[in-house]
Amino acid sequence: MARLLLVNGPNLNLLGIREPEIYGTSTLADVEELVRTAAAELGFDVDAIQSNHEGVLIDAIQTARTTAVGVVINPGGLTHTSVSLRDALTGVQLPFAEVHISNPQEREEFRHFSFLADIATVRVVGQGVSGYSLAVRRLIAALG
Ligand code: CA2
């Protein structure tokens, strides 16, 4: 069965535990389950990783080059800082969906720029955790 890689970046392990007014009450486990369900409905398996370490995320993306057909990623704060994450995604040449639970454009100015926005196949922002399911469906549709 074809696979997607789900990547959640720094601090997203705190989902459902802190700042529910911004990120809601669903946990990271709930998000991973949502993504697995949406993908399974369309015949895809999911490998999931969350890490607070940029290099670990980059290693997982590089591995996906031979194990997955696409990536769903919420890079957390690395969205706004990481050329290296962008380079990893460009390097593996996999289509990817960039997901944000909140809408960074409606928050502090330092969140307005994304290093991934111009190379993402799909972007879903501000839809809460249900944005992950939407991203899976849109990404799979884009795979053709
Ligand atoms: O809205 C999003 O999904 C973000 O990617 C979340 C990042 C933030 O830096 C981006 O600007 C937008 C932060 C992830 C931290 O997640 C937490 C979850 C619960 C409690 C504390 C942090």
Side-chain angles (χ1 to χ4, degrees), residues 9-20 22-24 74-80 99-104 107-108 110-111 126 132:
N11 298 308
L12 285 157
N13 55 312
L14 297 176
L15 274 180
I17 300 170
R18 300 259 193 276
E19 300 190 58
I22 300 177
Y23 299 113
N74 183 345
L78 295 173
T79 307
H80 319 297
V99 182
H100 298 287
I101 298 166
S102 66
N103 183 350
R107 300 179 62 190
E108 304 95 323
F110 61 81
R111 298 185 198 274
Y132 284 87

Side-chain angles (χ1 to χ4, degrees), residues 9-10 51-55 57 75-83 85 115-116:
S51 178
N52 295 327
H53 305 278
E54 186 172 6
L57 300 174
L78 295 173
T79 307
H80 319 297
T81 64
S82 181
V83 174
L85 200 58
F115 274 101
L116 303 188

Side-chain angles (χ1 to χ4, degrees), residues 61-97:
I61 290 166
Q62 289 192 10
T63 298
R65 189 175 63 81
T66 54
T67 59
V69 296
V71 178
V72 175
I73 181 166
N74 183 345
L78 295 173
T79 307
H80 319 297
T81 64
S82 181
V83 174
S84 301
L85 200 58
R86 176 192 173 100
D87 288 345
L89 286 159
T90 308
V92 296
Q93 294 188 312
L94 288 172
F96 73 90

